[in-house]
Amino acid sequence: MRPFGDLEAVVMEVLWQRGAPATVRDVLGELTASRPLAYTTVMTVLDNLHRKGALSREMEGRAWRYRPTRTRAEHSAAMLQDVLSAAGDRDEVLMHFVADLDADAVASLRTAVESARQAQTP
C-alpha cells in the first residue's frame, strides 16, 4: 500500500470527518474554503482513490457518492503493517519503535495488545 499523496490525504480527511458518503461537489465545497481547486481536479482525485481501493462509490441520480473503504484507524494500521513487512528485522523495528514511545503511549500499546489477545481467545 502506498501512502496517499498530499491532495489525496486532504480528500480522505474530508471524507473521514464527514462520516457519510459525499459527491465531488460536496468534497469540493469543503476544500475550497482553504484552497482553490477545480471540480475536475477533485473528481480525478476521487476516481484515483476509488481505483486504488481506498474509496467505494455508488451512483445516486447522476452523481457518484464516495465513501472510504476503511476507517482512518484501519488505514493507519494497514500502513504500519506494510512498514513492518518491509522491515528487514520486524522484532528490531518494534523494539526501536517501543523504545521511542512515551509512558502514555506504552500504556496504550499494552492495553491494545491485551484487548487483541482477549479478542482472539475463543
Side-chain angles (χ1 to χ4, degrees), residues 6-111:
D6 291 342
L7 189 51
E8 289 175 334
V10 171
V11 167
M12 289 301 296
E13 188 62 35
V14 166
L15 291 167
W16 280 322
Q17 285 182 0
R18 277 180 69 89
T23 63
V24 174
R25 193 161 308 286
D26 295 334
V27 174
L28 178 65
E30 293 192 36
L31 292 177
T32 54
S34 60
R35 64 171 85 184
L37 290 169
Y39 179 93
T40 54
T41 300
V42 175
M43 180 178 65
T44 299
V45 170
L46 287 165
D47 186 58
N48 289 343
L49 287 166
H50 174 258
R51 282 189 296 103
K52 292 177 181 181
L55 299 176
S56 63
R57 68 184 182 189
E58 294 178 11
M59 183 64 78
E60 185 175 293
R62 294 177 48 179
W64 289 109
R65 285 207 171 269
Y66 293 88
R67 79 176 62 214
T69 56
R70 294 180 172 167
T71 65
R72 182 186 296 112
E74 290 168 337
H75 173 74
S76 297
M79 295 291 292
L80 287 172
Q81 287 291 346
D82 285 351
V83 168
L84 288 174
S85 294
D89 185 341
R90 185 181 183 126
D91 292 340
E92 186 176 354
V93 171
L94 286 169
M95 290 296 279
H96 284 286
F97 174 74
V98 172
D100 291 339
L101 295 176
D102 62 30
D104 289 340
V106 170
S108 293
L109 184 57
R110 281 190 179 119
T111 301

